[in-house]
Amino acid sequence: MDFVERVLLLREPSTITNFSLTCNVLSDSSRVTTWISAAVKHKVQVLNIRLYKIGEPFMLPSFLFNCESLQELHLNMFNLLELPSFVSFSNLKILTLIRIVFPDDHSAQKLFKVCSILEELYLIFCSWENVKAVCISSPKIQKLYIQEKDPSYCTDTEDEDGENNSVDQNNDSDNESDNIDHQNSPVYLNDDIDDVYSSDEQSDDADDQCDSDGCQFAVFGTSLKYFSYMGDFVHGCHIQDSSSIVEAHLQAYNGDRKIGYRTLKLLWGLSNAKSLELDDNAVESLADADELLDHLPMFYSLTHIHIDWVVLIYKEQREALLTILRKSPCLSSLKFEGLSCMLCYSGTYDWTLDPVPGCFLTHLKTIEISMFNGSEIELLAVKILLKSATILEKMVISFNPWEFEDADGLKKQQEVQEQILSFPRGSSSCLIAISCPPKKKKIIEFC
């Protein structure tokens, strides 16, 4: 530690372009603040701070929050973020906050309001328990990533070396937010969504969905191009002025009716996106609250949809997926990251695309299916897709490498491949590309 301190303090007054600090704080908080202060005094541009085992009251040096040279700040520490009376980030473009605990609304407002030229914002595993409302309104923000804590495991425990393996610090991230007073915070509800709550039968769900336990995020994204939200949707997120959004990702840790209402609100804010990725839980949450499907927005700008697993044997999930497809009239590319996790099923496969989504007849040109297991339900899905997409140009199928490793697997793969190539195609010009598992020599067949 003495060596590090001498290097920093005796360094010539030249600029430090990039400074990274990863350590256990324990009882050496004064040393840690000295190192950070030295980096700031040398006009650091990129600062990456990763602190563990903070064993005493700890505050970052006050002039860190007034560093005019700082362009990127990545801060990872499970600790209260105590701010000085004056905060100014005049050149900060990227802000990452990981495991940060905000003490109150005022602190959140003070930090995020000054990030006027922020372009990228990542909030990962932060604690918002003391914050009721946050407004993210930087006019230049282009990328917003929010990830909640996964309740299935603890993200705040460190191993013996002080490492927290649940967070990838190499993930670029940044965060900007502006706090608004809870009593005066606006509620962004589309009239079509409000109609869902009109009946007494659904009032309890509406009350649960609109509870105030979580923080309410209001996002004004006039320049926002990328949005990602991962978690249990404990916090409400309302996106306004989002016509610039190109790519959106929604991933839910669980699927239930309450999450379905929150997912619907987010989809309204993302209705101008050109690319949308949903995981199986997000689709399931809409399926569990099937009364919401009629209230999904139209996605007139959407050209690509990526579905991360969907269990096709469940009618509700199929209907939720088909509703999204029918609401996407200009869709040209469709990707499935796994069609079904059910390899064995004793039921009947008597479902069809009825009615066929309009995009299948006018715009859909590419379908990609990965992690393909060759089960009966998956084969039926491929058969239906090939028959229904009348202007399809290409279907790409990649087998699941974990299912076709031995000789029996390779034999099954060949049988499945021949079966797929025999399916009738609604488009006479459609090519089918089938790839073997990556652990084997790749064979691509176009027919």
Side-chain angles (χ1 to χ4, degrees):
M1 286 190 173
D2 291 336
F3 171 76
V4 174
E5 197 159 308
R6 285 198 301 271
V7 169
L8 288 172
L9 296 180
L10 298 178
R11 178 186 174 90
E12 295 181 359
S14 58
T15 298
I16 296 180
T17 303
N18 193 319
F19 181 80
S20 295
L21 173 63
T22 300
C23 69
N24 296 327
V25 176
L26 299 175
S27 59
D28 291 314
S29 59
S30 60
R31 284 182 180 267
V32 173
T33 56
T34 298
W35 297 342
I36 297 173
S37 298
V40 173
K41 290 178 180 178
H42 284 84
K43 299 182 179 180
V44 64
Q45 297 177 15
V46 179
L47 183 58
N48 193 326
I49 302 173
R50 190 176 185 180
L51 305 179
Y52 297 105
K53 295 186 177 180
I54 301 175
E56 57 186 6
F58 177 79
M59 287 185 62
L60 292 166
S62 59
F63 43 87
L64 166 63
F65 300 95
N66 298 284
C67 182
E68 295 182 357
S69 63
L70 198 60
Q71 298 178 20
E72 296 185 25
L73 174 60
H74 308 282
L75 181 58
N76 180 347
M77 63 176 191
F78 182 56
N79 195 67
L80 280 174
L81 185 63
E82 301 286 351
L83 299 177
S85 58
F86 180 73
V87 179
S88 175
F89 285 121
S90 57
N91 288 297
L92 193 66
K93 295 181 179 179
I94 299 176
L95 176 61
T96 302
L97 297 179
I98 302 176
R99 302 184 305 142
I100 296 300
V101 180
F102 287 95
D104 50 41
D105 289 44
H106 179 68
S107 296
Q109 179 178 13
K110 183 187 295 185
L111 176 62
F112 301 133
K113 188 175 183 180
V114 299
C115 300
S116 58
I117 66 168
L118 200 64
E119 295 178 359
E120 296 184 9
L121 161 62
Y122 299 79
L123 303 172
I124 303 173
F125 300 163
C126 290
S127 174
W128 303 97
E129 295 178 358
N130 305 316
V131 182
K132 296 180 179 179
V134 171
C135 178
I136 300 170
S137 59
S138 175
K140 294 187 177 182
I141 188 167
Q142 298 180 24
K143 190 170 186 178
L144 173 59
Y145 179 97
I146 301 175
Q147 183 175 1
E148 298 174 8
K149 295 179 181 179
D150 188 342
S152 65
Y153 63 90
C154 181
T155 63
D156 300 327
T157 57
E158 295 94 20
D159 58 26
E160 293 180 356
D161 295 325
E163 293 292 332
N164 184 323
N165 295 318
S166 64
V167 176
D168 180 9
Q169 178 64 20
N170 292 325
N171 185 355
D172 292 337
S173 39
D174 78 72
N175 173 354
E176 172 209 11
S177 45
D178 230 8
N179 172 43
I180 47 181
D181 183 78
H182 180 61
Q183 294 181 347
N184 299 320
S185 60
V187 178
Y188 304 105
L189 293 176
N190 188 285
D191 292 339
D192 290 330
I193 301 176
D194 290 338
D195 291 341
V196 179
Y197 306 138
S198 58
S199 68
D200 293 336
E201 181 180 354
Q202 297 161 353
S203 60
D204 291 339
D205 288 322
D207 291 340
D208 290 342
Q209 189 276 336
C210 295
D211 58 26
S212 58
D213 291 339
C215 176
Q216 299 298 307
F217 292 92
V219 181
F220 295 86
T222 54
S223 300
L224 191 63
K225 291 181 172 59
Y226 176 95
F227 176 83
S228 179
Y229 194 104
M230 181 187 302
D232 266 339
F233 293 72
V234 173
H235 309 294
C237 192
H238 315 283
I239 302 177
Q240 304 291 308
D241 302 325
S242 59
S243 59
S244 62
I245 286 185
V246 174
E247 187 176 350
H249 300 253
L250 296 183
Q251 180 177 335
Y253 294 147
N254 294 288
D256 57 34
R257 292 171 60 84
K258 185 179 293 188
I259 291 177
Y261 284 99
R262 294 166 177 155
T263 302
L264 178 64
K265 286 186 178 182
L266 269 175
L267 288 175
W268 270 100
L270 300 170
S271 60
N272 291 313
K274 296 176 177 61
S275 175
L276 175 64
E277 180 176 348
L278 299 171
D279 75 335
D280 58 330
N281 285 325
V283 174
E284 181 184 345
S285 69
L286 293 170
D288 287 343
D290 56 359
E291 70 275 7
L292 299 180
L293 297 180
D294 291 337
H295 299 275
L296 281 170
M298 292 295 297
F299 299 97
Y300 289 109
S301 300
L302 196 61
T303 59
H304 174 74
I305 291 180
H306 181 168
I307 303 295
D308 189 4
W309 291 101
V310 61
V311 185
L312 294 171
I313 62 173
Y314 299 137
K315 179 180 178 181
E316 294 79 10
Q317 286 202 30
R318 293 201 309 268
E319 286 302 315
L321 174 59
L322 288 175
T323 301
I324 294 173
L325 295 177
R326 291 172 185 139
K327 296 274 190 173
S328 308
C330 299
L331 192 70
S332 61
S333 174
L334 176 60
K335 180 178 180 179
F336 294 99
E337 188 81 19
L339 275 176
S340 180
C341 59
M342 309 294 291
L343 299 181
C344 299
Y345 176 57
S346 58
T348 58
Y349 308 107
D350 56 354
W351 55 275
T352 60
L353 288 183
D354 185 21
V356 175
C359 59
F360 278 52
L361 309 176
T362 60
H363 287 77
L364 188 62
K365 296 182 178 180
T366 302
I367 297 177
E368 183 177 351
I369 303 169
S370 60
M371 298 300 291
F372 191 77
N373 295 305
S375 65
E376 188 175 351
I377 185 70
E378 291 173 298
L379 287 169
L380 176 60
V382 169
K383 185 177 183 179
I384 292 174
L385 291 171
L386 280 173
K387 183 179 180 180
S388 303
T390 58
I391 67 166
L392 193 67
E393 296 179 355
K394 183 169 62 176
M395 176 178 283
V396 180
I397 299 176
S398 302
F399 285 99
N400 183 351
W402 308 108
E403 291 295 324
F404 301 96
E405 290 186 291
D406 55 18
D408 290 338
L410 293 176
K411 180 180 178 181
K412 177 186 176 183
Q413 177 185 293
Q414 183 63 33
E415 294 173 351
V416 169
Q417 178 174 301
E418 292 175 357
Q419 189 173 355
I420 291 174
L421 297 178
S422 70
F423 289 155
R425 308 174 196 182
S427 171
S428 58
S429 60
C430 176
L431 298 177
I432 300 177
I434 302 176
S435 64
C436 299
K439 289 189 177 181
K440 308 296 181 181
K441 183 179 179 181
K442 283 194 175 183
I443 301 174
I444 308 293
E445 181 171 355
F446 289 91
C447 305

